[in-house]
Amino acid sequence: MAKKIETQGLDLYYGKFHALSGVNLSIESHVITAIIGPSGCGKSTLLRSLNRMNDLVHGVRVAGRVLLDGVDILAPSTNLSLLRRRVGMVFQRPNPFPLSVFDNVAYGLRVHGEMRRSHLLPVVESSLQSTLLWDELKDKLDSSALELSPEQQQRLCISRVVAVKPEVLLMDEPCSALDPIATGRIEDLMRALAGGYTIVIVTHNMQQAARVAAQTAYMLLGELVEVGPTAHIFENPKDKRTEDYVSGLYG
Amino acid sequence: MKQDKIIGAILLLVALSAISGLGLITVFIFREGVPIILRLGARQFFLSTDWEPSLGKFGILSMIGGSLAVTVGAAAIGVVFSLGLAIVLTQFSPPGLSAALKPLIELLAGIPSVVYGFVGVVTLVPLIRHTLGGPGLSVLAASIVLGIMILPTITSIAIDALQAVSPTYLEGSIALGATRWQTVTMVILRAARSGIVAAVILGMGRAIGETMAVIMVAGNALEVPHSLLDPVRTLTSNIALEMGYASGAHRQALFATGVTLFVIITLLNIAALGFSRRRPARSRVG
Ligand SMILES: Nc1ncnc2c1ncn2[C@@H]1O[C@H](COP(=O)(O)OP(=O)(O)OP(=O)(O)O)[C@@H](O)[C@H]1O
Ligand SMILES: [Mg+2]
């Protein structure tokens, strides 16, 4: 299988705090990779390194390489706008903008210069269709996105990312604000999207990783302990620390 | 405790007497001012430009026009600079800078208005006279001076409104490839809109009520202004300029001018309150 993303010796410091140390992770194309590990081990930090969202944090320092299709995105010449278009992100709490449903989905396209409503409408429709929201919302395109249910909001946030045709979808605990039924449906959606995108999901929930991910990576204290096919990680991990974690000894 | 009760009672008394004092002033102004409006007829009082107290003519239209002109001018100038400042400080500066500068900006509000007026007369008025023509004392001069005076009010409230916007909007927008500037114009200003409108309205309330600085730079002519370079008299200036020697119907007409101001400012404050009550739209689960 092809590597979509590869981190090489990735180190990240928040000021003096060493949040990631020497992370070497390969993420395969067109499958779901889950990142698991106890709270505070650096899962979100690693995920946010893949589209350089950590650039927003004051005093952050990064060393090593992050290759996207073989090109180092940490290079100063990287076009961040284009990078984030190619590597989209869905957050833990649904964060639709205080705009209409339509304007939320069209947002990314407008940001990248497409202003004509006639061109936006088909993309809005297909994006909402890909997250199974179109039938529910086609008559509510002009109502505020904040009036939707949490699950609809999270689907809308996924549609908003899908609309700019990314290659990679990063999801940071996308279901943690949702109830179990909504969680199940978002997981179905992830599996449906997996064929077309490379998906990286951070989750606290090991069952969720087992249900959706082909590959799983286990992190502890800023280090990548082990990565491999999900079944291997859960059934016969090579590292003692992974075994302790997946058998519920801590975390 | 007994002592607590006594202190509580005293504080209540103080509060009540302050409120009833305000109430009495309001009643007094209305009692002095309303009868003459009724006697002359609202049409005659509000819609005539003839203000000749010695002939018993009391029409305040030109002063209403003057007040509106300088207030709108001040709001336009105030909004541009205040919003710019608030955006730069909250979105494009290191976090400490806004915290350090905000008290300084608020300090500007404490400078006595006569100082603003004085600086205006000495520098701005001659500048306008020499570069743009006219007497210099003008709508433009008053708008600029008032615009600067209301800058602290608008900036400070706008900063609060912008800081109250959930940071998740910023993250969501940046993650879609937007620049900081696109994020500000497309999401953050929208989210802070009601607070910003309230800030502008409160600023206008300050501008329309300001007196001393306006008397010094506006020229005080009794005409409806036709250009930014014309001198004008505002409602407040009229009261301050004439109250010293007015008596009888003239005095009542000045009180009626005060009633007019009172109503306008109250309406502005109610509007501002309405806008600031409307909470910035926020995610349900956020
Ligand atoms: N902006 C920041 N400044 C300083 N330290 C930070 C910052 N963000 C995260 N950290 C620290 O870095 C470490 C890793 O944080 P991170 O959010 O990546 O963990 P996580 O694995 O995603 O945890 P959780 O499961 O709780 O989401 C934590 O110890 C955290 O306190
Ligand atoms: Mg996290």
Side-chain angles (χ1 to χ4, degrees), chain A residues 71-236:
Chain A
V71 178
D72 187 7
I73 62 164
L74 296 183
S77 59
T78 304
N79 177 338
L80 289 179
S81 180
L82 185 64
L83 168 66
R84 290 169 184 151
R85 182 177 188 165
R86 293 176 64 195
V87 183
M89 181 164 236
V90 175
F91 296 83
Q92 187 165 356
R93 290 182 171 282
N95 60 347
F97 303 126
L99 307 172
S100 69
V101 168
F102 183 93
D103 288 343
N104 263 277
V105 183
Y107 189 89
L109 293 161
R110 287 186 170 136
V111 155
H112 295 287
E114 180 57 77
M115 295 296 170
R116 289 162 295 185
R117 198 171 166 102
S118 60
H119 287 228
L120 294 171
L121 193 58
V123 182
V124 169
E125 173 170 350
S126 66
S127 306
L128 287 172
Q129 243 150 12
S130 71
T131 57
L132 309 177
L133 272 179
W134 177 251
D135 290 331
E136 283 165 60
L137 296 187
K138 62 172 182 274
D139 301 319
K140 295 193 193 166
L141 294 180
D142 290 323
S143 48
S144 167
L146 304 185
E147 284 158 22
L148 305 179
S149 74
E151 183 196 346
Q152 287 176 320
Q153 291 190 355
Q154 195 61 304
R155 282 177 187 270
L156 184 70
C157 291
I158 298 172
S159 320
R160 185 170 80 179
V161 176
V162 166
V164 298
K165 306 206 164 42
E167 297 156 32
V168 181
L169 274 178
L170 307 176
M171 301 184 160
D172 194 348
E173 305 192 40
C175 302
S176 66
L178 304 179
D179 63 52
I181 294 174
T183 298
R185 286 196 296 245
I186 297 280
E187 286 175 8
D188 291 342
L189 174 59
M190 282 188 254
R191 274 187 292 262
L193 292 173
Y197 306 86
T198 301
I199 298 182
V200 186
I201 171 178
V202 164
T203 176
H204 252 121
N205 178 331
M206 284 189 273
Q207 285 79 32
Q208 181 168 61
R211 284 192 298 263
V212 300
Q215 298 280 312
T216 294
Y218 172 61
M219 289 185 71
L220 184 63
L221 297 172
E223 283 179 49
L224 181 69
V225 175
E226 189 170 350
V227 55
T230 301
H232 288 203
I233 296 290
F234 284 107
E235 280 147 33
N236 47 25

Side-chain angles (χ1 to χ4, degrees), chain B residues 13-60:
Chain B
L13 207 66
V14 171
L16 282 181
S17 52
I19 293 172
S20 45
L22 282 176
L24 277 178
I25 293 174
T26 310
V27 171
F28 179 69
I29 296 174
F30 273 76
R31 216 193 54 196
E32 293 290 309
V34 171
I36 191 163
I37 302 180
L38 298 178
R39 188 146 44 82
L40 293 174
R43 225 188 135 82
Q44 178 63 35
F45 184 71
F46 293 114
L47 297 182
S48 151
T49 57
D50 277 336
W51 176 269
E52 287 181 66
S54 53
L55 303 179
K57 289 187 179 165
F58 302 106
I60 62 168

